[in-house]
Amino acid sequence: MKFGQQLRDALFPDWKFYYVDYSGLKHFMYDGVEKGYTADDESEFVKLLDGELDKVNNFQQTKSAEMKRRIEYCEKQVGLITANKATDNAKREQLKVIEREIDSVIGEVYELAKFTRLNFTAFIKIVKKHDKNAPFVLKHVFNQHLNSRPFFKENFDELLLELSRLYNIVRNGGVDIDQGKDPQSGNGQNFVRQTTKYWVHPENVMELKLYILKYLPVLIYRTKGSDKPPNPAITSIYFDNEKLDLYEGRIEKSEGAEAIRLRWYGDMDNNDIFVERKTHHEDWTGEKSVKERFSIKEKHVNDYLAGKYTLDSKIERLREEGKKSEEDLREMEALANGVLDSVRTKHLEPVVRSFYNRTAFQIPGDARVRISLDTELTMVREDSFDGKQRAGENWRRTDIGIDYPFPQLPEKDVCRFPYAILEVKLQTQSGVEPPQWVVDLIDSHLVEAVPKFSKFIHGTSVLLEDRVDVFPFWFSQMDRDIRKPSAKSVGISRSSSPRGSFIDIDNMVRQRSGGRAMSASNSQNSDTFENDIEVVVEEEPGEHSSHNEGTSAATQYSHNYEGHADRAADEGTSLLRGTQYSQGKGKKSQSWLQTFNPFRRSEESILASQVTLTSNMPCASRENSQIKRIAVPVRVEPKVFFANERTFLSWLNFAIVLGSLALGLLNFGDRTGKIAGAAFTVVAMFVMVYALMLFQWRAERIRRREAGPYDDRVGPTVLVVVLISAVVLNFYLKLSAGL
């Protein structure tokens, strides 16, 4: 659809005279080009463009001020209602009127955000068309005009916070019952916490925020004793080595796989750095994946990583103050020593930085439902693997801060992720279904399910593509538009329809939605794909905890609208696994059991299980075209391995029975019986060897989590033919001897 038609379809009818006259500007420019575009035409076009810019900017500023006044009015009315001496029923009716007014404000805030986004896009597109068709270049001059009327920089943070607080007060009968509560309280011990992740298109970010705050308030973390507004920025430095062992362990979900990062909240001058370690545990171990962390002052980080600083003095001070138990102090010391040991033995160093602004939604003191939305997600290289010293001797590079979109960095060092990341965390008792509004949200057009998305894995696989062996499964979703048509009343002003999504909230939702994300990722037109990607099925990881702090209402479109659309890329260098592929020949390495296996997969079967993927990634450029592999998550239960063993034992049981019959014929039979016994002995030995090869073959495929098939048609067919031949031979010899 052309943008002009899209603009006409998406505009708010009540404000239609205040949108940019996109069609008028376009027709004026094309008419001038047809008859010969002159300097006078250019001057008139700039004048018209400035007039449209003033119109849009003035209207946006006016409506924004109006929204603030309406919120202030609602707040005053709530105060009057709670202070009067009317009955509770009368107060409830009055609060319902205020709630309807707040709903109206929320709807207009959403429309205003959409108004801002559409007009900004319209200005960018019309200037592009002008520079492409007219003999004058307007882009740089227009950028100065645009910055003097920065309507597009309005991120509605203040409005969101006020609406969230006001809506929460009205929901609670006019009383702010959450005031003074600890945001981190309410985490019980007898609960199961489940986390799912989704992508959100920038066009849906504001609608999503406004929808969520109708049910959950924005969670605000403030430093004790500080009145400064919280900074929503969260920055993490992930560690790995040149072989990317930690990346490989995390993407393959190996038992005990670690992820080590250093994280801070807010500005670069924050002195508190959190050292965190995530450890993955397989379900069959009976343990849950865990996240542990401790804090350290920034000035001590380099010495700590070099082994010159310990936490002994801090632990002793905490012990004297009595702020932590002895068990907590022992765990902190063990964690600090464990992280340092991993850094030393695995030769870890800073590899990738992740930055984003976070908006968290949660009722303070109630952790049953927690939702976080990360916007402006950016991954930046920190390593020196290519010989370029980005961080030098420091634990992080100092040439950047939190100045998104980091324009000072070369494109090869930065990956600006095109979507926001929604994380839904439910902490409910076993068997309790999630709230209906949460189910409606994750089934709506606003989100795209991406189970177990990882910022570390994505950043490493894109920025260090020439070093990784396996790509994450969501790469197949990166080259398609994740926006969906809406047909159900989920959202603010548009309807939305329930759509299939792969979620992990509870068994009910899993059974209803499982597998749809896989079909969605495979529904792309293969004619547009260029590179072959082998699908490698990986286990879906167990539960892991996650600490979320900060809040953000920052929008993305004002920074990355132009850049990402034009960044076409080609998938690059060969990514053949060293453990499963021969680097020299590019072929799968096999054990002797697989090499001599008569039922191994044919080339056609292998090709049929491959998926091709275009490489127009929005975050990095590619240079070569090589075969790559994508890890697809799927849960492999321990009972699968046990079933394989039971099948092996069943084959052995059959071989033992047949072998016993053969030994009886050999020891006690006549000449014909001995010949038949020898034939059955060969068959029994064949069955035992076949059972062992079949067991090893299936065990290897299960261990590598391949999708299948696991059946074998050749072996049983050969076995039946041999058995029939042995029986026929026995009858023939016996009948011949009788004659």
Side-chain angles (χ1 to χ4, degrees), residues 250-515:
R250 297 297 293 185
I251 198 170
E252 292 183 348
K253 302 298 178 290
S254 304
E255 168 59 26
E258 290 182 332
I260 294 176
R261 70 186 179 196
L262 273 62
R263 167 175 287 190
W264 69 95
Y265 300 89
D267 297 324
M268 294 289 290
D269 56 1
N270 190 337
N271 197 35
D272 293 321
I273 309 298
F274 291 92
V275 181
E276 301 181 352
R277 180 180 68 183
K278 288 184 177 181
T279 307
H280 171 73
H281 292 295
E282 299 271 14
D283 287 347
W284 56 265
T285 64
E287 300 182 33
K288 295 292 184 182
S289 297
V290 295
K291 189 183 92 170
E292 310 161 282
R293 76 175 191 170
F294 64 91
S295 64
I296 187 174
K297 296 299 180 182
E298 195 277 332
K299 61 182 179 181
H300 297 313
V301 172
N302 285 325
D303 289 339
Y304 166 72
L305 295 175
K308 301 177 182 178
Y309 175 82
T310 63
L311 298 183
D312 294 344
S313 59
K314 178 178 181 178
I315 293 175
E316 187 61 32
R317 185 178 70 255
L318 292 174
R319 182 178 288 112
E320 293 175 356
E321 295 174 353
K323 293 183 177 180
K324 290 187 177 292
S325 65
E326 284 296 323
E327 182 180 357
D328 291 338
L329 294 176
R330 285 194 298 269
E331 290 178 354
M332 179 187 297
E333 184 176 13
L335 176 60
N337 294 333
V339 170
L340 182 59
D341 182 64
S342 295
V343 171
R344 287 177 170 178
T345 57
K346 298 178 181 178
H347 307 288
L348 303 181
E349 59 181 282
V351 171
V352 173
R353 170 187 301 209
S354 70
F355 165 84
Y356 49 89
N357 288 305
R358 170 163 290 179
T359 306
F361 300 87
Q362 179 185 332
I363 298 175
D366 185 353
R368 289 176 297 176
V369 181
R370 177 187 173 89
I371 296 177
S372 63
L373 184 65
D374 299 335
T375 56
E376 300 177 350
L377 173 60
T378 307
M379 282 73 77
V380 178
R381 287 189 68 170
E382 294 273 343
D383 66 280
S384 57
F385 297 155
D386 56 355
K388 181 179 179 180
Q389 296 295 324
R390 294 176 173 84
E393 299 298 325
N394 197 31
W395 64 277
R396 63 182 177 184
R397 61 192 302 169
T398 56
D399 57 336
I400 60 173
I402 59 172
D403 48 336
Y404 178 86
F406 309 100
Q408 69 272 37
L409 293 177
E411 287 302 311
K412 66 177 182 179
D413 279 9
V414 62
C415 167
R416 300 176 186 88
F417 197 71
Y419 308 124
I421 307 299
L422 179 73
E423 195 167 347
V424 180
K425 298 181 179 181
L426 297 182
Q427 185 170 284
T428 57
Q429 292 179 337
S430 299
V432 178
E433 296 183 1
Q436 185 59 41
W437 71 268
V438 176
V439 177
D440 292 339
L441 171 64
I442 61 182
D443 281 346
S444 73
H445 68 285
L446 298 175
V447 298
E448 170 77 6
V450 187
K452 310 305 176 184
F453 174 81
S454 167
K455 302 177 181 73
F456 166 58
I457 289 177
H458 186 84
T460 304
S461 61
V462 171
L463 297 174
L464 300 174
E465 182 205 359
D466 58 329
R467 291 178 175 270
V468 301
D469 296 327
V470 184
F471 280 168
F473 74 93
W474 56 80
F475 268 34
S476 60
Q477 295 172 263
M478 291 295 296
D479 64 330
R480 63 188 180 91
D481 191 349
I482 66 171
R483 289 172 292 184
K484 301 291 187 298
S486 56
K488 182 185 174 184
S489 56
V490 172
I492 301 303
S493 63
R494 292 180 292 183
S495 60
S496 59
S497 62
R499 45 175 294 274
S501 62
F502 184 91
I503 56 178
D504 190 25
I505 288 185
D506 64 4
N507 291 334
M508 180 275 295
V509 183
R510 180 192 297 277
Q511 291 171 1
R512 186 188 65 189
S513 307

Side-chain angles (χ1 to χ4, degrees), residues 547-566:
H547 180 83
N548 302 308
E549 295 187 23
T551 179
S552 166
T555 55
Q556 293 179 310
Y557 59 85
S558 62
H559 294 297
N560 59 18
Y561 169 75
E562 267 190 282
H564 300 327
D566 297 331

Side-chain angles (χ1 to χ4, degrees), residues 567-700:
R567 286 194 193 111
D570 296 326
E571 294 289 355
T573 33
S574 174
L575 300 177
L576 302 181
R577 280 185 53 112
T579 57
Q580 296 179 11
Y581 287 82
S582 169
Q583 295 290 345
K585 299 180 181 180
K587 297 181 179 180
K588 289 185 179 180
S589 61
Q590 298 176 333
S591 68
W592 68 273
L593 285 169
Q594 291 173 306
T595 303
F596 297 103
N597 227 333
F599 42 80
R600 64 178 181 271
R601 295 164 69 195
S602 64
E603 293 300 321
E604 292 79 5
S605 175
I606 295 175
L607 290 175
S609 68
Q610 292 182 339
V611 177
T612 54
L613 175 67
T614 188
S615 58
N616 51 350
M617 299 291 296
C619 292
S621 61
R622 311 286 185 259
E623 297 176 356
N624 302 321
S625 266
Q626 298 279 350
I627 292 179
K628 302 180 177 62
R629 306 192 307 135
I630 288 183
V632 179
V634 68
R635 182 176 297 277
V636 179
E637 301 291 347
K639 63 183 180 182
V640 176
F641 294 92
F642 301 146
N644 187 33
E645 291 181 3
R646 288 195 299 271
T647 305
F648 172 64
L649 294 176
S650 297
W651 279 106
L652 285 186
N653 181 61
F654 171 73
I656 290 172
V657 172
L658 189 61
S660 300
L661 174 63
L663 289 176
L665 291 174
L666 285 172
N667 292 325
F668 305 105
D670 53 10
R671 179 176 177 275
T672 301
K674 291 180 178 180
I675 295 175
F680 285 120
T681 300
V682 172
V683 174
M685 295 174 62
F686 168 77
V687 171
M688 287 188 286
V689 173
Y690 169 76
L692 178 61
M693 294 174 65
L694 185 64
F695 170 76
Q696 293 284 357
W697 177 71
R698 285 176 174 163
E700 179 65 20

Side-chain angles (χ1 to χ4, degrees), residues 115-180:
F115 172 89
T116 302
R117 183 181 65 250
L118 286 172
N119 283 285
F120 174 77
T121 305
F123 282 120
I124 295 298
K125 284 187 172 292
I126 197 64
V127 171
K128 275 188 176 181
K129 288 182 179 294
H130 170 276
D131 291 355
K132 181 179 179 181
N133 296 280
F136 301 93
V137 177
L138 186 58
K139 178 178 179 180
H140 300 295
V141 176
F142 178 74
N143 284 341
Q144 297 176 1
H145 292 202
L146 194 61
N147 288 328
S148 66
R149 306 167 182 86
F151 73 93
F152 61 94
K153 293 184 179 179
E154 177 67 57
N155 54 23
F156 305 99
D157 283 7
E158 185 179 347
L159 291 178
L160 277 174
L161 292 176
E162 289 299 321
L163 283 170
S164 171
R165 188 179 67 85
L166 188 57
Y167 214 112
N168 196 39
I169 293 174
V170 172
R171 273 198 307 262
N172 295 317
V175 181
D176 190 0
I177 63 175
D178 296 332
Q179 187 174 8

Side-chain angles (χ1 to χ4, degrees), residues 9-125:
D9 293 343
L11 60 79
F12 189 46
D14 294 348
W15 301 346
K16 62 182 179 180
F17 298 112
Y18 299 98
Y19 286 81
V20 59
D21 186 8
Y22 181 80
S23 297
L25 291 171
K26 186 172 65 172
H27 290 154
F28 177 87
M29 179 191 62
Y30 284 149
D31 291 343
V33 171
E34 287 181 3
K35 64 183 181 181
Y37 201 84
T38 64
D40 292 338
D41 293 329
E42 178 69 4
S43 177
E44 183 65 21
F45 181 81
V46 172
K47 183 179 179 180
L48 291 173
L49 196 62
D50 279 345
E52 294 297 314
L53 188 56
D54 285 332
K55 178 181 69 176
V56 170
N57 181 69
N58 292 338
F59 180 78
Q60 196 258 7
Q61 297 297 324
T62 301
K63 293 302 292 186
S64 181
E66 179 188 328
M67 295 300 104
K68 293 177 183 178
R69 290 194 296 270
R70 291 177 65 182
I71 292 174
E72 291 173 358
Y73 171 79
C74 290
E75 192 170 0
K76 290 180 181 178
Q77 292 300 311
V78 170
L80 293 175
I81 292 172
T82 54
N84 65 34
K85 298 181 180 180
T87 63
D88 291 341
N89 289 334
K91 288 183 178 181
R92 279 194 292 269
E93 291 298 324
Q94 292 171 335
L95 288 174
K96 286 182 180 179
V97 175
I98 300 299
E99 185 174 354
R100 287 194 293 270
E101 175 64 17
I102 297 174
D103 286 336
S104 175
V105 174
I106 288 176
E108 289 208 16
V109 170
Y110 163 67
E111 292 295 343
L112 186 60
K114 189 168 67 169
F115 172 89
T116 302
R117 183 181 65 250
L118 286 172
N119 283 285
F120 174 77
T121 305
F123 282 120
I124 295 298
K125 284 187 172 292

